[in-house]
Amino acid sequence: MSNTSVPDIRRPKTRAGARIALVSLTAAALAAGAALTVATSANAGTTLGASAAERGRYFGAAVAANKLSDSAYTTILNREFNSVTPENEMKIDATEPQQGQFNFTNADRIVSHARSRGMQVRGHTLAWHSQQPGWMQNMSGAALRTAMLNHVTQVATHYRGQVVAWDVVNEAFADGNGGARRDSNLQRTGNDWIEAAFRAARAADPAAKLCYNDYNTDNWTWDKTQAVYRMVQDFKQRGVPIDCVGLQSHFNSGSPYPSNYRTTLSSFAALGVDVQITELDIEGSGTTQANTYRNVVNDCLAVARCTGITVWGIRDTDSWRASGTPLLFDGSGNKKPAYDAVLSALNNGAGPNPTTTPPGPNPTTTPPGPNPTTTPPPAGAGCTASVSLNSWSAGFVATVRVTAGSSGTSGWTVSLTLPSGATVTNSWNTSASGTSGAVRFSNATHNGRIAAGQSTEFGFQGTGSASSLTPTCTAS
Ligand code: 9MR
């Protein structure tokens, strides 16, 4: 599941291409007597989203459905951002106001606004102690666990294929010393509630990146940061499906940007997950605020697996902390110094994969990937395949990596035998034949051709138990 590419966002032209486009647009604009700014505004490097995409990343904003009718708001949104997070509309109280009765109206409006304009969507959030509807607040124990898992399943299924990354679980750790879990009705259903939520999300939408999201996890030395780090490390070691960690990064004088922020980003990334800055806002003004924004962007660009940044609102007046003027546009929609700092940091930054991820200050042995993995034999002329399995009591998701040998492939087929009782229910990026016993997966139209030594991935989901699978690969 995990890789460093940014799926499905508006990729701008290369800089050279953008320049050519600029020249021709400029000429056309001048010929038409139009203002030059009209011609330049859509070019790579001149907006946050386009510039981030040049770095292989996204730049997003939290969006409120009730502001989509404000044209000053949507003008900035549509021009500047290539990712959107619904600020409140996907939360539990919004999507399941009565138990079993789902309402996706407002979230769908945001998703449709974003996707129709080529922006990607981050889902926020499936399981959280806060913003629970009344019926859920009043539940506990096994009934709550079942209701929570049903919620995760229903919402992730509704948005399957439309949401690039989900904040599956939000804010499950307590503040302060000790690194304990936060007490909540969900936590009281059992310490494994977080991994249960992740497994349900994976089963419902196998292609979405699954993130754990929290605040006060920016400073590497804080107990809460270390506790989340240990949980992610444990999940990776045990094959619990997790693909990313979201750092909310709400900064102000009480919770300032820490000088070791880059260490935090790179340390999480070294566990084999993407890192996303999910709710960035920085209270302040002028140069001081601009410098902090610049530092945050530079830190993300320095970590190859920091795949994108979302600011928590568009104009200062849209912010949950409006009085702290923490965003990139003022209340009139003007670009602030912080905006200029972010854009120039993005434009001056390194490419999509700028560095190998440096180890954090607490180097750990890199945990093995999701268990169990068969190691492909040394590549000959054909192809090899390896399977990563995420299994739970009643089902599994398999991710299969196909690697071409020294001749490359123009097509491939992976064969394997499922244990008795296991059945394939769904597959992606492949053409599957058979659902039980001996099954075969051939390339889809888009991924048959693999260059020598390169890889592609496909996946399938099943019911029953599959604790290990041994694939064989045939190239054509
Ligand atoms: O910005 C959101 C605000 O409109 C809501 O009233 C609030 C309710 O809890 O949630 C805010 O967003 C929060 C996010 O969902 C989780 N991290 C903290 C954010 C700011 O409170």
Side-chain angles (χ1 to χ4, degrees):
M1 280 304 301
S2 302
N3 61 48
T4 52
S5 65
V6 179
D8 203 25
I9 59 175
R10 291 177 298 178
R11 298 293 295 236
K13 302 170 183 74
T14 61
R15 273 172 185 265
R19 246 179 256 120
I20 292 163
L22 173 61
V23 169
S24 52
L25 274 172
T26 304
L30 289 175
L36 188 59
T37 48
V38 175
T40 56
S41 64
N43 284 284
T46 63
T47 68
L48 303 171
S51 185
E54 283 199 329
R55 304 280 156 267
R57 293 169 169 85
Y58 65 83
F59 205 98
V63 164
N66 63 9
K67 291 181 181 155
L68 290 177
S69 52
D70 173 349
S71 66
Y73 180 86
T74 53
T75 296
I76 303 173
L77 168 64
N78 298 348
R79 185 187 68 217
E80 294 289 343
F81 297 96
N82 59 6
S83 175
V84 156
T85 305
E87 186 173 359
N88 289 297
E89 293 76 356
M90 285 184 174
K91 291 173 180 174
I92 315 173
D93 58 354
T95 49
E96 195 177 357
Q98 305 296 329
Q99 187 171 15
Q101 292 177 15
F102 291 84
N103 182 343
F104 297 113
T105 308
N106 285 328
D108 283 352
R109 283 179 61 206
I110 296 177
V111 170
S112 142
H113 183 99
R115 285 173 50 81
S116 66
R117 290 165 178 78
M119 307 171 188
Q120 68 177 43
V121 178
R122 290 195 83 260
H124 173 84
T125 174
L126 295 170
W128 191 20
H129 68 276
S130 183
Q131 281 183 272
Q132 292 183 357
W135 64 265
M136 186 178 270
Q137 291 176 31
N138 293 329
M139 287 183 96
S140 63
L144 173 61
R145 174 70 72 98
T146 302
M148 180 273 286
L149 292 176
N150 182 57
H151 180 85
V152 170
T153 300
Q154 299 297 329
V155 177
T157 299
H158 179 83
Y159 289 109
R160 182 186 171 116
Q162 301 187 62
V163 163
V164 167
W166 268 111
D167 292 332
V168 178
V169 171
N170 196 39
E171 301 176 359
F173 281 80
D175 294 306
N177 294 332
R181 291 282 183 87
R182 174 195 297 277
D183 180 48
S184 72
N185 60 349
L186 292 169
Q187 179 62 29
R188 289 191 292 272
T189 70
N191 209 47
D192 62 344
W193 74 275
I194 299 179
E195 61 195 82
F198 273 84
R199 291 187 201 282
R202 177 69 98 230
D205 187 354
K209 296 222 177 199
L210 305 183
C211 308
Y212 175 78
N213 190 53
D214 215 329
Y215 66 91
N216 281 350
T217 48
D218 314 290
N219 189 319
W220 177 243
T221 65
W222 286 15
D223 285 357
K224 186 168 170 182
T225 311
Q226 293 295 312
V228 173
Y229 177 86
R230 284 192 299 274
M231 178 187 75
V232 175
Q233 183 179 44
D234 171 55
F235 280 11
K236 294 296 286 181
Q237 281 167 346
R238 291 192 293 114
V240 176
I242 185 167
D243 307 302
C244 40
V245 171
L247 302 189
Q248 294 184 9
S249 302
H250 295 292
F251 294 128
N252 59 17
S253 56
S255 178
Y257 161 81
S259 60
N260 59 21
Y261 189 62
R262 191 178 297 189
T263 298
T264 306
L265 298 177
S266 62
S267 299
F268 277 113
L271 291 175
V273 289
D274 288 348
V275 184
Q276 303 182 342
I277 300 170
T278 52
E279 303 183 15
L280 180 64
D281 48 24
I282 303 171
E283 291 191 47
S285 61
T287 310
T288 309
Q289 181 182 50
N291 285 341
T292 310
Y293 264 105
R294 179 184 295 107
N295 288 337
V296 169
V297 172
N298 283 335
D299 288 341
C300 181
L301 292 177
V303 177
R305 293 196 73 158
C306 181
T307 57
I309 299 174
T310 300
V311 284
W312 205 241
I314 295 180
R315 301 161 303 194
D316 284 335
T317 43
D318 301 318
S319 169
W320 70 299
R321 285 177 165 170
S323 64
T325 62
L327 294 173
L328 302 177
F329 297 87
D330 69 19
S332 305
N334 300 309
K335 297 170 180 173
K336 294 167 58 181
Y339 172 95
D340 297 331
V342 167
L343 186 62
S344 77
L346 289 169
N347 281 333
N348 295 330
N353 291 308
T355 57
T356 44
T357 309
N362 284 340
T364 53
T365 50
T366 307
N371 63 355
T373 304
T374 53
T375 309
C383 58
T384 56
S386 61
V387 181
S388 297
L389 270 175
N390 286 313
S391 302
W392 58 98
S393 53
F396 60 92
V397 170
T399 303
V400 185
R401 172 169 282 255
V402 180
T403 302
S406 54
S407 305
T409 67
S410 51
W412 45 262
T413 298
V414 172
S415 307
L416 51 85
T417 301
L418 293 170
S420 122
T423 305
V424 176
T425 54
N426 180 35
S427 61
W428 51 97
N429 293 331
T430 183
S431 166
S433 56
T435 56
S436 60
V439 290
R440 285 152 52 92
F441 300 91
S442 297
N443 59 277
T445 48
H446 66 277
N447 62 3
R449 196 165 293 282
I450 313 175
Q454 299 301 298
S455 299
T456 190
E457 281 188 352
F458 72 89
F460 59 97
Q461 183 177 351
T463 55
S465 135
S467 56
S468 77
L469 295 171
T470 307
T472 57
C473 190
T474 311
S476 53

